Amino acid sequence: MWIRIAGVPHHVRVEGSGPLCVLSAGLGLTWFDWDPVVPLLSPHRTVVRFDRPGHGLSGPALVPPSAVGEGHRIAAVVRALGPAADLTGGLRPAVTVVGHSIAGFHAEAFARLHPSMTAGVVLVDSSVEEGVRTPAAPALRTAAALGVGSALGAVGVPAALGPTARRLAVRLARTGGGDPAPRELVRRCYATTRVLRGALLENAHYRAVAAELLALRERCPLPVGVPVTVLAASTGGRRRLARQQRLATVLGARYREIGPAGHLLMLDRPDAVARAVLDMGGAGQPLA
């Protein structure tokens, strides 16, 4: 299905039944990267997957990403489902939001900005930044990212190398083998200038989003009593694992080191991701 948010068509997949669970993938990834997790969740949860602007099949990004903007985007996706979101017989759904890598920033922002909509948060080998400051010249960063993407697209780089680069990146980020995604879907997404520009834009504003989230922590507490789980990939190295542990401490979260697994935990250990979601239960709030 398609949902229009702020003028951009968003590709959304809804499967299963039960309490709502939203899955958001990392930078440059897409809805089908959650494929191994969905069959484990869909008998127990209504699983919502969506592509951010410039990712997967969604329309191109019109504005640079921000922590607040992405937190609100998750809420907008859920609200746009309309009657499909009222799945619990007179309860307004509270959402378990699952964020991988950079989408961990977005999932945390959602919980802080929309506490009444949050049933739980699962951070899947999330990006972690400590003490980062907002970089200067954001407009120049945007222009450079979009300009490079357009220039590479004009000479055919995405069509020639995009799918191959995707498959190599997935292989390097796993312990369990290569890229399981269907070749036709990989080509449909990664052979496009739209997706290249979307990835470059998110990368260009990565530090700004991280700094914004740190500021958000100061003024918007996490909802009281809402469970948070931090899943860390065992192959991340000692320094990365230590940062994941500190993130769990900051958020008052349960910490689980998952192995053997690479950064793409949902491909290497979908069972661990699904278990983290199901362990949270599925709360709802009475409809007003």
Side-chain angles (χ1 to χ4, degrees):
M1 65 186 294
W2 296 88
I3 293 172
R4 185 169 291 273
I5 300 171
V8 178
H10 288 60
H11 173 238
V12 181
R13 292 288 181 97
V14 182
E15 297 148 288
S17 61
L20 281 169
C21 172
V22 175
L23 310 178
S24 187
L27 190 155
L29 299 176
T30 186
W31 90 93
F32 54 69
D33 289 302
W34 294 105
D35 277 356
V37 178
V38 172
L40 303 178
L41 287 177
S42 57
H44 316 282
R45 297 289 184 272
T46 299
V47 182
V48 180
R49 297 180 281 174
F50 71 98
D51 294 324
R52 295 188 298 280
H55 288 63
L57 298 180
S58 289
L62 300 181
V63 297
S66 68
V68 168
E70 297 306 324
H72 288 330
R73 189 186 313 281
I74 294 171
V77 168
V78 173
R79 287 171 176 151
L81 294 176
D86 182 15
L87 303 160
T88 51
L91 295 178
R92 175 177 291 115
V95 181
T96 299
V97 60
V98 183
H100 168 254
S101 194
I102 194 174
F105 292 161
H106 310 159
E108 183 184 338
F110 167 81
R112 294 182 182 279
L113 294 166
H114 300 278
S116 66
M117 295 179 68
T118 307
V121 179
V122 178
L123 303 179
V124 180
D125 213 46
S126 177
S127 297
V128 181
E129 295 296 336
E130 302 160 320
V132 66
R133 296 182 179 180
T134 303
L140 289 178
R141 291 174 178 272
T142 297
L146 297 179
V148 168
S150 295
L152 293 175
V155 296
V157 170
L161 300 178
T164 300
R166 143 82 195 199
R167 292 200 178 277
L168 177 60
V170 169
R171 180 176 291 275
L172 292 175
R174 295 193 62 193
T175 60
D179 187 355
R183 289 187 177 275
E184 62 274 15
L185 287 181
V186 170
R187 174 152 292 279
R188 185 179 178 188
C189 295
Y190 291 89
T192 66
T193 301
R194 172 182 51 82
V195 167
L196 174 60
R197 282 164 54 102
L200 290 173
L201 188 62
E202 279 205 345
N203 186 65
H205 291 278
Y206 169 85
R207 292 179 65 83
V209 172
E212 186 186 2
L213 180 63
L214 293 181
L216 194 62
R217 287 177 183 171
E218 297 296 321
R219 64 178 190 270
C220 297
L222 286 172
V224 176
V226 168
V228 181
T229 297
V230 172
L231 301 181
S234 62
T235 61
R238 184 175 299 178
R239 181 181 177 187
R240 183 173 177 85
L241 288 173
R243 296 177 80 184
Q244 295 284 326
Q245 289 175 318
R246 288 196 296 272
L247 175 64
T249 299
V250 167
L251 300 182
R254 176 184 298 178
Y255 174 78
R256 292 178 180 173
E257 183 178 327
I258 307 299
H263 181 53
L264 295 178
L265 260 173
M266 62 279 223
L267 299 183
D268 283 340
R269 290 292 307 275
D271 60 312
V273 176
R275 176 49 51 196
V277 173
L278 296 176
D279 282 351
M280 291 186 170
Q285 298 178 348
L287 288 169

